Amino acid sequence: MGAGASDLVVEEAAVPGLGDMPELCAAEVLLRLGAPDICRLARLNRAFRSAGAADFVWEAKLPENYGYLMGFVDGGEDEQGGQGKRRSAVGKKDVYARLAKAVRFDDGKREFWLEKSTGMVCMALSSKALVITGIDDRRYWVHMPTTESRFHSVAYLQQIWWFEVVGETDFRFPAGTYSLYFRLRLGKPASKHSGGRRGCGTDKSNGSIHGWDRKPVRFQLSTSDGQNAVSQRYLDDEPGSWVLYHAGDFVASEHGRPVRLKFSMAQIDCTHTKGGLCVDSVLVYPKGVHTEEVVVRD
């Protein structure tokens, strides 16, 4: 009886646990997960930790044009350029981690980053990267520093008759469908020196916010390969809240060619003035991915 109990103990001790999982099996599990879950499982045991550092796991999570994207980090835009050797020596996990942080270019007026869970590219263009009618005349527009913008500055419209904001970008987006938004707010933002307090001019009754209920704003989006979107929307959301106004969607092909985007928002009915609007940025997200309230086109 004692020998039988001893045999039972030996058999129980021989049963393998999760920590005995081969590294390749752990890697097969990680290949089916997003980056945040890979990092969580890597803390579980040695097999997942080792697999979670493997280049082939992270390369599968990177967009196919990650070499082109890393060119912006290295200070160039040619993935075949002189920085290639140094880049190839960096582990793919480190490449993913770097691209998941904002990569600034165009003198800091534009940036892109990888959405952590999907590995798809997001982009932001500041108000200073846009062509805004009357922006150089302080009677109409002023650049306001604020903590409410990722670029720490927004363009604030005081009053104007002809309202038009135009922009474009030429970029190699990984294959997929993307949505383009204008990030807007009725009323002044909090300034850098206000301790987070809301700025003045957030109440329609004081006259600072006016003209947006008379005519809708027209949003347009076009691409170099013939895609187009047009929509109209009244800017009638609650003053004091940042809102993403959906201008349209576009599809980036699988051939890796650059996509030239042109986009605009305009309200050019000169029978009345418009004012009290903040223009922060233009955002490009993978379709269905966004972090703020979105206004879709009518």
Side-chain angles (χ1 to χ4, degrees):
M1 186 171 179
S6 176
D7 291 343
L8 183 61
V9 170
V10 171
E11 289 178 6
E12 288 179 347
V15 174
L18 189 60
D20 300 311
M21 177 182 291
E23 182 181 326
L24 286 178
C25 292
E28 285 296 324
V29 174
L30 299 184
L31 284 170
R32 290 161 173 77
L33 302 176
D37 290 329
I38 292 175
C39 293
R40 293 188 191 100
L41 276 181
R43 297 194 292 266
L44 187 61
N45 59 41
R46 184 169 58 186
F48 280 109
R49 184 164 57 252
S50 179
D55 273 357
F56 75 92
V57 170
W58 286 100
E59 187 155 21
K61 304 304 171 183
L62 286 164
E64 72 277 3
N65 67 339
Y66 71 86
Y68 164 79
L69 300 176
M70 281 298 290
F72 289 89
V73 176
D74 294 334
E77 300 181 18
D78 185 357
E79 63 183 303
Q80 302 298 326
Q83 298 289 343
K85 291 184 178 179
R86 184 168 68 84
R87 188 184 311 130
S88 63
V90 178
K92 297 303 185 293
K93 181 180 180 181
D94 294 329
V95 171
Y96 196 101
R98 178 61 192 92
L99 294 178
K101 299 177 182 178
V103 178
R104 288 276 174 102
F105 62 106
D106 188 22
D107 295 325
K109 292 182 289 189
R110 306 166 192 251
E111 67 182 33
F112 70 85
W113 66 96
L114 296 188
E115 200 280 318
K116 290 182 180 179
S117 60
T118 65
M120 295 188 71
V121 169
C122 304
M123 179 177 285
L125 293 80
S126 77
S127 60
K128 294 182 178 179
L130 308 175
V131 177
I132 301 176
T133 300
I135 190 64
D136 296 324
D137 192 328
R138 290 181 62 85
R139 292 176 300 173
Y140 307 130
W141 290 89
V142 290
H143 286 292
M144 297 185 63
T146 178
T147 56
E148 297 183 9
S149 169
R150 66 190 307 122
F151 296 101
H152 308 296
S153 174
V154 299
Y156 177 70
L157 173 63
Q158 299 182 111
Q159 181 169 287
I160 204 166
W161 293 87
W162 183 288
F163 173 79
E164 188 173 35
V165 179
V166 179
E168 65 177 72
T169 190
D170 197 339
F171 195 78
R172 285 179 54 189
F173 287 93
T177 303
Y178 298 83
S179 298
L180 186 141
Y181 304 93
F182 283 83
R183 187 174 189 259
L184 310 173
R185 167 191 162 124
L186 291 172
K188 291 182 179 179
S191 70
K192 281 189 173 182
H193 308 293
S194 66
R197 298 188 300 274
R198 297 293 185 188
C200 60
T202 58
D203 187 353
K204 287 184 180 179
S205 63
N206 66 16
S208 295
I209 302 171
H210 64 283
W212 305 111
D213 56 348
R214 300 280 297 275
K215 295 285 184 178
V217 171
R218 181 182 178 89
F219 296 91
Q220 290 184 282
L221 167 67
S222 64
T223 69
S224 52
D225 58 359
Q227 302 176 66
N228 294 278
V230 180
S231 61
Q232 295 189 106
R233 175 77 194 190
Y234 285 94
L235 305 188
D236 55 3
D237 288 272
E238 185 67 25
S241 299
W242 288 105
V243 178
L244 301 183
Y245 284 84
H246 182 222
D249 297 337
F250 67 94
V251 177
S253 71
E254 297 181 356
H255 303 296
R257 301 190 185 97
V259 177
R260 179 175 291 276
L261 297 176
K262 294 185 177 181
F263 42 87
S264 65
M265 59 178 293
Q267 210 274 52
I268 56 178
D269 184 337
C270 293
T271 61
H272 65 283
T273 61
K274 294 60 87 165
L277 178 71
C278 281
V279 177
D280 172 43
S281 56
V282 167
L283 296 164
V284 179
Y285 286 133
K287 188 172 183 178
V289 174
H290 47 74
T291 59
E292 298 179 80
E293 180 183 353
V294 171
V295 174
V296 297
R297 59 185 179 179
D298 293 335

